Amino acid sequence: QSALEYVLSKNAKKTKTQSRVETEFVFILEDKGLEAGNGAGLNCPNCGAPVRNLGFKTCEYCGTGLVEIAKKVWTLNNIKEL
């Protein structure tokens, strides 16, 4: 839940209003960087070793930097005034 305050102007009359809103966010993965027909493996691009943890930024075996193709995004899914 969030609270907000705003000034509502109606017929030259200004009224300060406070509202509470309930917001719902969804965590999604955007795959815009992946092209159709191309697979993405979980192996090091340098030595081919398996990447055992998706949070690793470097290869455990050779130390090569790993780059995520998919982007993590929070998006607003629903909002309603209480």
Side-chain angles (χ1 to χ4, degrees):
Q1 291 184 1
S2 302
L4 58 109
E5 181 177 278
Y6 56 94
V7 176
L8 183 62
S9 181
K10 187 174 184 180
N11 297 330
K13 183 180 177 187
K14 294 183 179 182
T15 308
K16 187 184 284 188
T17 307
Q18 293 182 345
S19 294
R20 286 186 321 157
V21 293
E22 183 176 277
T23 53
E24 177 182 82
F25 288 89
V26 178
F27 183 73
I28 61 171
L29 291 176
E30 268 189 1
D31 60 357
K32 291 180 182 176
L34 299 175
E35 297 175 15
N38 289 345
L42 296 175
N43 294 339
C44 174
N46 185 45
C47 70
V51 177
R52 295 188 296 170
N53 186 335
L54 296 177
F56 287 167
K57 300 295 182 195
T58 57
C59 175
E60 291 180 276
Y61 299 97
C62 70
T64 299
L66 303 172
V67 178
E68 287 187 49
I69 295 173
K71 302 292 182 195
K72 298 174 204 161
V73 178
W74 284 99
T75 184
L76 179 61
N77 189 51
N78 190 17
I79 186 168
K80 68 179 179 180
E81 189 170 2
L82 300 175

